């Protein structure tokens, strides 16, 4: 019995460790420099691992540049989703050689890049001139879309028209009658005198 418990515990630890690891292309040691710090200057030549949400993908003749809304990274180096705050983490632009399709690398997708900070790129955000720290990217890692989760306020089976809260058949047809909507034309205008 103790042997099975040990094997179960070892399998659980291995499973959890596998879930919390950084993908191989994103592994490494990087400077703890935020995009806001890099915007102030003095971060040129620094190796960074930054991520966030794609604002715009702009392919050029030699390289593709990704304009990003920065987000802090989680333990897997993935941009954190659903932070629930309005904290400003800044913006940055990451450029990598080659063509990346803007339909695949579309607005709102999560991206993590590794590379070296090389100066600034100034672009308009509305009427404001925004200085984007520029990263010469070694790795561009597009994360798969997160699954959409729907939280239902009632337990499973409650939405089934043949199951009521007390067993099969109780809820139908009493609770789930189809609604009848009657559409009437507007009343005629009053007669003119």
């Amino acid at each position: 019995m103790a042997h099975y418990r040990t094997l179960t515990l070892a399998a659980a630890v291995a499973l959890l460790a596998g879930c919390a690891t950084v993908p191989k292309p994103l592994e490494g040691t990087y400077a703890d420099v935020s995009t806001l710090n890099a915007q102030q200057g003095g971060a040129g030549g620094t190796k960074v691992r930054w991520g966030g949400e794609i604002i715009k993908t702009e392919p050029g003749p030699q390289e593709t540049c990704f304009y990003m809304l920065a987000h802090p990274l989680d333990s897997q180096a993935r941009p954190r989703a659903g932070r629930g705050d309005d904290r400003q983490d800044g913006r940055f632009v990451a450029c990598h050689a080659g063509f990346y399709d803007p339909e695949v690398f579309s607005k709102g997708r999560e991206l993590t890049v590794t590379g070296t900070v090389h100066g600034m790129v100034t672009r308009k955000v509305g009427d404001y001139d925004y200085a984007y720290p520029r990263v010469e990217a070694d790795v561009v890692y597009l994360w798969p879309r997160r699954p959409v989760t729907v939280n239902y306020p009632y337990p499973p089976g409650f939405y089934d028209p043949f199951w009521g809260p007390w067993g099969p058949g109780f809820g139908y047809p009493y609770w789930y009658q189809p609604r009848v909507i009657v559409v009437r034309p507007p009343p005629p205008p009053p007669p003119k005198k």
Side-chain angles (χ1 to χ4, degrees):
M1 185 76 163
H3 181 62
Y4 290 118
R5 191 175 303 153
T6 305
L7 285 175
T8 304
L9 181 62
V13 168
L15 181 64
L16 289 174
C19 293
T21 59
V22 174
K24 198 93 172 137
L26 299 175
E27 289 179 346
T29 305
Y30 300 94
D32 188 21
V33 175
S34 73
T35 56
L36 295 174
N37 292 340
Q39 202 174 27
Q40 306 304 317
T46 306
K47 295 283 284 177
V48 295
R49 178 172 59 200
W50 288 343
E53 184 179 320
I54 297 174
I55 298 170
K56 178 172 68 168
T57 299
E58 214 173 64
Q62 303 297 321
E63 64 184 6
T64 301
C65 291
F66 306 94
Y67 290 85
M68 305 289 300
L69 183 62
H71 293 301
L73 304 178
D74 64 13
S75 61
Q76 291 182 294
R78 183 174 189 159
R80 287 193 193 133
R83 293 183 330 202
D85 60 20
D86 293 328
R87 189 175 79 198
Q88 289 290 320
D89 292 315
R91 297 172 178 226
F92 67 96
V93 60
C95 299
H96 193 269
F99 173 77
Y100 289 85
D101 193 336
E103 292 299 316
V104 176
F105 291 79
S106 59
K107 181 176 179 163
R109 293 292 303 268
E110 293 175 321
L111 194 70
T112 301
V113 299
T114 63
T116 309
V117 177
H118 280 293
M120 300 286 185
V121 174
T122 302
R123 292 284 189 268
K124 289 276 190 191
V125 177
D127 290 334
Y128 183 78
D129 288 327
Y130 191 92
Y132 289 82
R134 187 178 197 277
V135 176
E136 290 291 331
D138 302 323
V139 174
V140 174
Y141 195 91
L142 182 68
W143 292 92
R145 294 182 194 275
R146 293 181 190 267
V148 176
T149 57
V150 178
N151 294 325
Y152 291 106
Y154 300 106
F158 190 85
Y159 297 100
D160 186 344
F162 299 103
W163 284 82
W166 293 283
F170 184 86
Y172 185 80
Y174 305 107
W175 288 3
Y176 298 100
Q177 293 279 339
R179 283 193 327 176
V180 177
I181 299 174
V182 178
V183 178
R184 295 186 179 133
K192 292 183 179 177
K193 294 186 179 185

